Amino acid sequence: MTLLDSNIIIYAAQPEHSRLRQFIRENAPCVSAVSSVEVLGYSRLSGDERRHFEAFFVAATILPISDAATWNVPSSLPQKGPCDLERDGASARRGDGATRQTLLS
């Protein structure tokens, strides 16, 4: 199974990325429910872009989010407790917008 990232979905809509569109047509990859929220939730979409992406998501196989998917961390990854901004993101408290956005998104 192939899962498309949100950025690939967005790039494929651009005229210069015809090979991506061909790949999508030929392989019918899945997309995550998160991708539909990320792509359609972008506040600067034009009406035409919104209609294009809505049609894409209607035709796509969308994989739902489940607790098993969000909490099933491979045991090979370091296990850490819930994010503690005091401990993990001290620079976020100092006004680092990029760090804060990364930590909170």
Side-chain angles (χ1 to χ4, degrees):
M1 168 180 48
T2 302
L3 180 66
L4 287 181
D5 178 73
S6 302
N7 291 317
I8 299 300
I9 295 166
I10 293 166
Y11 294 149
Q14 298 170 0
E16 63 270 22
H17 295 295
S18 61
R19 291 181 67 192
L20 278 176
R21 290 189 298 279
Q22 180 180 351
F23 172 84
I24 292 169
R25 277 192 302 276
E26 292 173 357
N27 295 285
C30 299
V31 297
S32 167
V34 171
S35 290
S36 64
V37 172
E38 288 178 335
V39 173
L40 294 173
Y42 181 59
S43 64
R44 295 183 184 171
L45 284 180
S46 70
D48 286 342
E49 290 170 327
R50 177 168 295 286
R51 284 185 289 281
H52 168 81
F53 289 126
E54 286 172 344
F56 172 79
F57 286 114
V58 165
T61 300
I62 299 179
L63 301 177
I65 306 250
S66 69
D67 285 342
T70 58
W71 294 107
N72 189 12
V73 176
S75 59
S76 61
L77 294 177
Q79 298 294 311
K80 199 172 179 183
C83 180
D84 178 349
L85 290 178
E86 291 290 320
R87 180 191 72 226
D88 299 337
S91 63
R93 289 182 292 108
R94 291 193 302 265
D96 181 341
T99 303
R100 183 174 48 252
Q101 183 60 34
T102 301
L103 288 171
L104 300 178
S105 59

